[in-house]
Amino acid sequence: MSERTAPIISPSILAADFSRLGEQIAAVSNADWIHVDVMDGHFVPNLSFGADITAAAFRSTDLPLDVHLMIEHPEKWVDNYIKAGASCVIFHVEATEDPVALARHIRAAGVRAGFSLRPGTDIEPYLEVLDEFDLALVMSVEPGFGGQSFMPDQLDKVRKLRDVIDSRGLSTLIEIDGGISRETIASAAAAGTDAFVAGSAVFKASDPGAEVDALRECAKDAVRG
Ligand code: DX5
Ligand code: ZN
């Protein structure tokens, strides 16, 4: 995965035109990562795509793929996404019994491990095991659909994570996902977010590449103050 410093912009291909996925990914070659939203119709009430499309995305770009698994029993499926070319595999803590064991399994394969939580899930139990993860993905919408409104109350989780990561000198990255746009990215950046997923804001824009640059500038400005 890219070592480029924050702000990291990760366009979500969930909002892309799937009939020309390669072209859409090429249009955001100035991004830092590509975000791949996998939904199983069980963990979330929506179905997106699986490992084959993830592998197709991998073949169409040199950018690292951060793969967000919104699926039940991720431990049964992570190997497929590792094989598909994921740089980081993110699973939901609500979906598996032993998140630390799963993170260790992913890391043992040489891939970064991330955890995510639904907006209603408390971050506290995971703060003490942060060193087991390369990335913490804070959901700022209910997982399942693109195009929803940003939930500003979720920034409390970002602030808590930032405190713990900085005070313990950890390298875990904080990523935020849901409703990120030019209007909302500054507040997330100011709270201490490193990486920003943006689906609709990027792929519904007339120039997705230019929108990536605009989002990055907004995030940089917010940190500069
Ligand atoms: C929601 C997904 C998000 C989604 C973001 O379940 O995890 O990654 O694609 O889409 P926007 O940016 O449109 O909120
Ligand atoms: Zn996502």
Side-chain angles (χ1 to χ4, degrees):
M1 178 162 280
S2 165
E3 297 299 335
R4 282 159 79 169
T5 48
I8 291 160
I9 307 293
S10 189
S12 166
I13 58 170
L14 188 65
D17 176 349
F18 295 161
S19 72
R20 44 191 196 98
L21 187 57
E23 243 174 81
Q24 293 262 276
I25 292 175
V28 293
S29 59
N30 56 327
D32 300 279
W33 302 342
I34 296 293
H35 187 80
V36 178
D37 283 310
V38 176
M39 303 178 182
D40 66 353
H42 292 276
F43 180 73
V44 289
N46 193 13
L47 193 59
S48 60
F49 45 72
D52 288 345
I53 298 292
T54 305
F58 179 73
R59 290 193 300 275
S60 68
T61 181
D62 292 332
L63 295 177
L65 300 185
D66 72 306
V67 177
H68 178 191
L69 299 179
M70 287 163 275
I71 63 176
E72 284 178 359
H73 305 300
E75 65 283 351
K76 290 188 186 166
W77 306 102
V78 289
D79 289 347
N80 294 10
Y81 293 92
I82 291 168
K83 280 192 207 115
S87 288
C88 183
V89 174
I90 303 160
F91 58 86
H92 271 262
V93 293
E94 303 90 351
T96 192
E97 302 241 314
D98 191 344
V100 168
L102 186 52
R104 288 181 182 167
H105 174 84
I106 295 166
R107 282 176 146 184
V111 170
R112 292 193 185 195
F115 72 95
S116 186
L117 2 75
R118 298 182 195 273
T121 303
D122 190 2
I123 187 84
E124 291 295 335
Y126 307 100
L127 295 175
E128 60 198 44
V129 292
L130 273 184
D131 59 325
E132 300 279 355
F133 295 91
D134 301 287
L135 184 142
L137 179 67
V138 173
M139 291 306 302
S140 41
V141 296
E142 276 306 331
F145 299 91
Q148 304 180 76
S149 298
F150 183 72
M151 299 167 73
D153 60 327
Q154 296 303 308
L155 293 179
D156 286 347
K157 285 181 191 167
V158 172
R159 290 186 200 98
K160 275 189 194 160
L161 284 162
R162 187 78 275 149
D163 269 4
V164 173
I165 289 166
D166 290 350
S167 63
R168 292 197 211 146
L170 301 176
S171 54
T172 315
L173 292 172
I174 305 170
E175 186 170 32
I176 198 156
D177 185 3
I180 290 294
S181 67
R182 293 193 205 193
E183 286 68 45
T184 57
I185 196 167
S187 61
T193 308
D194 301 296
F196 306 84
V197 176
S200 315
V202 168
F203 286 109
K204 307 301 179 207
S206 54
D207 184 342
E211 197 59 31
V212 166
D213 287 339
L215 289 170
R216 195 186 280 114
E217 284 315 306
C218 291
K220 277 187 189 163
D221 284 350
V223 175
R224 268 187 225 121

